[in-house]
Amino acid sequence: STIIKNLTFTSNGAKALSVTSGVCNLENCTFTECNASGNGAALVMDVTAKVTAKKCNFTSNKAANGAAVCLNSGTASSDDFVIFSAEDCVFQGNEATASGGAILIASNAKNGQVRFNNCRFDANKVSGTSSYGSVIFCNNFNICIFIISITSC
């Protein structure tokens, strides 16, 4: 697995981090003012990836979908099982123009588990005329488990 600790990603012109497969653990990372014209300005996960984020901040990121995190790009088979877990993370001021102001869970992965423990979601939004999910947009996901402890909306 890959471990990324204490890094700051700021004002990049493309996606800050793309995890296409395997296991990635993020700890004490900051993603600020990242921009993407498509999905996931801060973090994009492919259908076979497993990512854990602990004590990470996702602030003022902008994308069409899933401004902070886009789970599941790519083409999935029925056996793919994506896992994303966020613990003690802050998702603040992220903006999508279409869906998922902070998080987009796309229909490309057929199965998975998504967990949010003790996370704060604050002032995330979608700004398009046909937009969905100012905080989280979950689209056509077969198994979606949310363990949510939200301290502020």
Side-chain angles (χ1 to χ4, degrees), residues 9-69:
F9 301 86
T10 305
S11 296
N12 64 338
K15 295 171 179 61
L17 182 61
S18 181
V19 181
T20 57
S21 64
V23 177
C24 181
N25 296 306
L26 304 171
E27 190 172 334
N28 293 319
C29 292
T30 300
F31 299 84
T32 303
E33 296 180 355
C34 300
N35 295 289
S37 59
N39 297 334
L43 171 64
V44 175
M45 287 177 59
D46 208 341
V47 293
T48 58
K50 293 169 180 48
V51 174
T52 299
K54 290 184 181 177
K55 298 180 182 178
C56 293
N57 292 314
F58 299 85
T59 307
S60 301
N61 300 292
K62 293 184 180 182
N65 297 293
V69 179

Side-chain angles (χ1 to χ4, degrees), residues 57-137:
N57 292 314
F58 299 85
T59 307
S60 301
N61 300 292
K62 293 184 180 182
N65 297 293
V69 179
C70 176
L71 307 176
N72 315 320
S73 60
T75 303
S77 73
S78 60
D79 296 332
D80 288 334
F81 193 88
V82 67
I83 296 176
F84 176 75
S85 176
E87 183 176 333
D88 297 321
C89 292
V90 174
F91 298 86
Q92 184 172 8
N94 299 291
E95 180 180 351
T97 56
S99 301
I103 312 286
L104 172 68
I105 303 167
S107 59
N108 294 345
K110 305 302 181 200
N111 302 295
Q113 187 176 74
V114 179
R115 296 178 182 211
F116 296 95
N117 291 313
N118 199 35
C119 292
R120 190 176 94 211
F121 294 85
D122 185 27
N124 298 285
K125 66 180 181 177
V126 287
S127 59
T129 55
S130 295
S131 52
Y132 304 97
S134 60
V135 177
I136 299 170
F137 181 59

